[in-house]
Structure formats: structure tokens, C-alpha cells
Amino acid sequence: MEKVRFGIIGLGKIAARFAGVLRYSASGQLTAVAARDAGRAETFAAEYGAARSYGSYGELIRDPEVELVYIAVTHNFHYELIKECLLAGKGVLCEKPMVLTRDKAKVLCSLAARKRVFLMEAMWTRCLPAVRKAAEWTRSGRIGVLKMVQASFCHRPKFDPASRLFSPELSGGALYDMGVYPLMFASCIVGENPIETFGVASMCPTGVDTCDTLSLRFPGGALASLCCASGVRMPDDAAVYGTEGRIFLPNFYRATSAALYDENGGLVERFEEECADGFIYEIEHAARCFREGKIESDWVPWADTIACAGIFDAMREQWGIPGAV
């Protein structure tokens, strides 16, 4: 199968990681890159083997050789760029969170459906084999009736009011940057989106959330207890509890293993798959979906992206945070 020709918009750290892993993909290749600084784009292209570089995003979107655009700018710019790509007929793999409001998520998904163009939120955690295995164990009844999902993603970067994590102008906040991981993990494991969400948060001096806890209730009766933070370190682990056992995933957002235990704590089965960088699974999945003519990923479906953005809406209302950009 011919490799999918990727273009990258936004050339920061996450783009460099993506481009580095793309080199080893069996399904995709890097064709073009774009930054607002043409010199930076040229340097990036030379380092990662892109055939072309552009000093504007629009030039890359208009490049007829680019098939699938990876958007890696800060999330306050996602909506307009995704829309521009879809209108140009370009497939999109957009860094998480794709957008910050339910309304914008619905508009983009409707546009992708109308234009018959591939659109996927780049939630790489959902593509990891260990997470896929944990979801399979859960849904096949290996731990009995699912009761509870617990997950946390917390770290403590140096406070910089101008950085994307802490700046309101850049849509900063722990919920958007870290909270999306446990939220999307929980809905992946449960196989449903929550019908009730409650959260509490503490704010940093710039007015964005820095430590959050979330409680979710799902239609089937399962609950989730999640936390995220950009102000404290905690183990980034996840556990899934059922009436007849539990599943544990260390460092769940980049998990390479999952362990299945019975209700007495006895190890029943262990799954492990190591790789140099888990981004490869997301890249291969997106490229495969695109080449097969799909417009939506079955691992990161639009309904889940829309539901997650709806939780952002609910939390902003509960916490008194101004509307998202």
C-alpha cells in the first residue's frame, strides 16, 4: 500500500517528536512542513527529511502532494486550521484537545462528514496496544461488571505565565493539557460517554486551572474518579475495577503494559508490548484509516471528541472560567 503523504503545521516539540517517529512508519511519510517562520520550516524540513517547507500554513494546505495534515500548534488555533484543511479536502490528524467547546467539535465533525474528509483527534494513548487490551478485557467481562475507573495525569512544570500551560490567551490549564488523557481513557475503557460530570479545581495566578479532580457517571452505571494537575507530581497510573477483578496500567497515558488480577489480587494475565515511541501506533492507525477511505477513526470516534469538549464546557461553567477561545 502506498504511504500516506503527511504535512505538519506547527513545528514545536510535539511536531519534532511526531516527525522523528514518522521516519519509521510503514504507512506514512513526511512530505511538507510549515511554520510562520520560513527559516525555521526549512531547518525542520532538512532535519526530518521533508521534501518541502513553507513559511505559511496556507501554502502547505494548498500543496497538492499533501494528503493528511498533522496539526501541532497550540490548541487555541486548532479550530480555524482544521476548518481550512477540511474545506481544502485535506485529511486532518489534530493534536489533543482537538477543540475546547462542544459546539466547535460538532461543527468540525459535521463539516468532515459533509466533505467526506478524514478527521481524527490525535489521542495517541487510545492507540496503545496495552490500552486496547485493557479495553478488550473490560468489555469481554474479564473483570465482571465494570464499577470504577481511576486515572491521574499530573506533573509540576516550572510556572511561566506566558507558557501555553498557564496563559489564558493560549487556552492554558491542566484540564485541556493533561485532563484530556484520563477523560479519553475512561470513555475508551467504559465504551460510553458520561451522562454526569462534577469537578473541583484550584487556580494559578493567571486564572487557569492547575489541579483538578473529576467525578463521572456513565449510562451503564460505572463511575470514574480522575485527576490532572500542572502543579503537583503524582503517579500517572490507571486502575479499572469490576465485580470479579481489576486491571492496572502503570503510566497509563504512555502504557506499555497492563495486568489483569482476580478479585483476590491474584495475577491472571499480563500484557506487554514495548516500542521506541508510542506515537507510532497513532501514526499507523491514522494512515491506515485514511488509506482505507475512512473519514472517522473507530478508536477515537467523533462522538468521544465531542463529548470530551462538552465536559470542558461543563467544567468552565462549574469553575467560573471564561469561555474558551
Side-chain angles (χ1 to χ4, degrees), residues 12 24 62 65 88 123 143 156 162 217 239 242 271 298-299 312:
Y24 303 99
R62 292 189 294 272
E65 294 298 310
M123 180 45 62
I143 58 170
R156 188 173 175 267
R217 183 169 65 87
F271 174 88
D298 51 340
W299 290 358
F312 296 159

Side-chain angles (χ1 to χ4, degrees), residues 23-267:
R23 285 174 166 170
Y24 303 99
S25 171
S27 305
Q29 64 184 35
L30 183 58
T31 295
V33 299
R36 289 177 173 172
D37 181 327
R40 183 181 184 187
E42 185 176 352
T43 299
F44 191 101
E47 182 175 356
Y48 292 102
R52 289 179 295 285
S53 65
Y54 298 107
S56 74
Y57 302 149
E59 288 179 284
L60 183 144
I61 293 170
R62 292 189 294 272
D63 185 334
E65 294 298 310
V66 172
E67 297 179 292
L68 183 54
V69 179
Y70 173 63
I71 296 177
V73 296
T74 53
H75 32 261
N76 53 309
F77 295 115
H78 287 178
Y79 177 76
E80 293 299 336
L81 284 171
I82 294 170
K83 192 173 182 180
E84 188 176 350
C85 287
L86 295 176
L87 288 172
K90 302 295 187 186
V92 175
L93 176 65
C94 182
E95 258 309 318
K96 56 77 201 165
M98 190 171 83
V99 287
L100 307 182
T101 71
R102 181 182 178 89
D103 286 347
K104 286 184 175 180
K106 290 176 69 175
V107 167
L108 293 176
C109 294
S110 294
L111 178 60
R114 188 166 68 252
K115 300 289 287 185
R116 303 302 298 171
V117 179
F118 179 74
L119 173 63
M120 174 181 163
E121 183 174 18
M123 180 45 62
W124 69 291
T125 294
R126 281 197 171 195
C127 301
L128 297 174
V131 173
R132 305 305 311 167
K133 179 58 69 174
E136 176 191 317
W137 283 341
T138 302
R139 298 184 198 181
S140 64
R142 295 289 301 277
I143 58 170
V145 178
L146 176 62
K147 291 295 185 180
M148 173 68 75
V149 178
Q150 294 179 329
S152 64
F153 186 12
C154 306
H155 63 105
R156 188 173 175 267
K158 182 179 179 180
F159 179 71
D160 177 358
S163 76
R164 65 177 184 85
L165 286 176
F166 300 106
S167 167
E169 290 74 23
L170 296 178
S171 299
L175 180 63
Y176 301 148
D177 203 71
M178 279 78 75
V180 64
Y181 284 96
L183 283 169
M184 291 291 270
F185 172 80
S187 58
C188 174
I189 293 296
V190 178
E192 299 174 329
N193 285 301
I195 55 175
E196 187 177 359
T197 307
F198 177 80
V200 293
S202 60
M203 305 297 170
C204 69
T206 58
V208 303
D209 59 299
T210 186
C211 294
D212 313 337
T213 62
L214 305 171
S215 298
L216 282 59
R217 183 169 65 87
F218 293 86
L223 305 177
S225 177
L226 314 173
C227 62
C228 62
S230 57
V232 64
R233 291 188 182 275
M234 292 175 59
D236 296 325
D237 302 332
V240 184
Y241 298 92
T243 54
E244 299 174 20
R246 62 182 174 88
I247 300 166
F248 179 70
L249 297 95
N251 299 311
F252 82 93
Y253 75 98
R254 53 186 175 90
T256 59
S257 67
L260 173 65
Y261 298 89
D262 63 28
E263 61 182 314
N264 297 314
L267 180 64

